[in-house]
Amino acid sequence: MPELPEVEVTRQSFASRVEGAQILGVRLGKPLRWPLGCEPTALVGLAVGAVVRRGKYLWVPLRAHPPMEAPRGGLLIHLGMSGALTFGTAGVVGLHDHFDLQTSAGTLRLTDPRRFGSVVWSPSLIEDPAAKLLSRLGVEPFDASFDGAYLHQALQRRRQAIKLVLLGGDVVVGAGNIYACEALFAAGIDPRLRSDKISRPRAERLSTAIRGILERALSLGGSTLRDFHDAHGMAGAFQQEARVYGREGQACRVCAGLVRRIVQAQRSTFFCAHCQKR
DNA sequence: CATAGCTCCTGACCGC
DNA sequence: TGCGGTCAGGAGCTAT
């Protein structure tokens, strides 16, 4: 579910409220993708710092009380395919609530039916396991370093279809299946086109499209396909603006041709063969 | 190094 | 209503 906009919307919905809170306890449900990596009780008494996002990961820094003391690592959280975080008064523990961080300001809860998500303790962002999980991530789409020149240069080294390179996240992070499809539509590029065949001008358009689509989704609170919501329980609205994603067989909103669905690396790709060229 | 395929898990949906 | 098959927003791991 969650791509960069959904993760960022989630972060914004609880970061300021949890910052400075003290950890009172940790509750673990069924196993997530990886074990927590520390004794849950070892976190009790630590204070929560400023939550930051890297790609689709959230880093929750922890430090000893009082806050002047050195950092005591943090929690690296990923929402996987079906994860959602809520923050507030902890209600009844549901079937899919697999992690609670109980703090003096409220409980941060991960609800994740498929359990592809993870909460992993790490001593810092530059030490394992956090460093390992973040090491191959590409640039942030909103960084100044992400531009047409960078994208073109990075794509020159790949022969995979452009859609798969965007999904890979090692050139630029943040676009999952929905936004990769939408960005390629916006840029007028066929998702099957080999990355190294993309010209400099088209790379320029694509970088602009990726940033634009993610920005637009962010401003709309993300996409709600099945049940995404932020930590306040708010749904997103971007999916109503989708030009191609999930619209197989429907008329393209630009040329009225039929939107097609193909499968690339076992994942659906939606595109308009008339508007998107090789 | 780049790439292809597999994998984790549960729920929703579709056709019979 | 029940059953089986298919598909789903992610991404690390392994083998080549």
Side-chain angles (χ1 to χ4, degrees):
Chain A
M1 150 218 343
E3 305 181 34
L4 184 149
E6 291 75 28
V7 175
E8 178 59 19
V9 163
T10 297
R11 186 193 70 81
Q12 290 173 9
S13 69
F14 77 91
S16 67
R17 292 189 292 154
V18 78
E19 186 168 353
Q22 199 168 0
I23 295 175
L24 305 177
V26 172
R27 185 192 61 82
L28 301 178
K30 284 192 195 175
L32 293 164
R33 181 163 189 181
W34 291 295
L36 179 60
C38 75
E39 274 305 317
T41 53
L43 303 180
V44 174
L46 299 182
V48 177
V51 180
V52 294
R53 179 190 56 75
R54 175 73 177 102
K56 297 170 190 171
Y57 284 95
L58 291 178
W59 171 249
V60 181
L62 304 176
R63 62 185 65 245
H65 231 48
M68 295 305 292
E69 287 190 42
R72 295 279 183 90
L75 297 173
L76 192 63
I77 301 177
H78 198 287
L79 302 180
M81 288 267 269
S82 58
L85 287 170
T86 54
F87 182 76
T89 309
V92 178
V93 176
L95 181 63
H96 303 303
D97 298 336
H98 300 305
F99 177 83
D100 280 353
L101 187 71
Q102 297 144 357
T103 81
S104 54
T107 296
L108 183 65
R109 169 171 289 175
L110 175 64
T111 304
D112 186 2
R114 292 174 73 178
R115 291 190 280 127
F116 291 172
S118 58
V119 180
V120 175
W121 182 83
S122 186
S124 82
L125 280 174
I126 54 172
E127 293 172 65
D128 277 345
K132 192 174 182 188
L133 290 171
L134 302 180
S135 66
R136 37 173 302 288
L137 295 186
V139 303
E140 287 287 330
F142 299 131
D143 269 11
S145 61
F146 180 62
D147 57 15
Y150 164 81
L151 185 58
H152 184 242
Q153 157 290 110
L155 295 181
Q156 288 301 101
R157 288 182 273 112
R158 307 301 188 90
R159 289 182 233 185
Q160 275 181 306
I162 181 60
K163 159 81 181 321
L164 300 181
V165 171
L166 294 184
L167 277 189
D170 43 1
V171 168
V172 57
V173 295
N177 213 22
I178 299 175
Y179 302 123
C181 289
E182 295 298 320
L184 286 167
F185 178 83
I189 296 172
D190 188 310
R192 300 164 294 184
L193 181 61
R194 269 172 54 156
S195 300
D196 59 354
K197 302 291 185 194
I198 292 180
S199 67
R200 171 64 198 269
R202 299 187 93 191
E204 195 75 48
R205 289 189 66 192
L206 183 54
S207 67
T208 301
I210 291 168
R211 210 177 309 109
I213 290 289
L214 294 176
E215 209 158 42
R216 177 66 181 157
L218 198 47
S219 74
L220 289 174
S223 299
T224 297
L225 258 56
R226 285 175 172 67
D227 54 6
F228 171 75
H229 55 81
D230 66 17
H232 300 288
M234 295 296 293
F238 179 86
Q239 70 281 0
Q240 290 160 20
E241 292 200 1
R243 291 282 187 263
V244 286
Y245 187 83
R247 302 192 67 245
E248 180 185 15
Q250 297 181 47
C252 169
R253 297 193 202 278
V254 172
C255 76
L258 287 193
V259 174
R260 291 182 54 191
R261 184 181 84 96
I262 59 173
V263 174
Q264 295 179 285
Q266 296 113 283
R267 317 220 31 209
S268 289
T269 297
F270 300 88
F271 72 109
C272 169
H274 181 258
C275 294
Q276 297 173 255
K277 305 292 188 191
R278 291 228 193 215

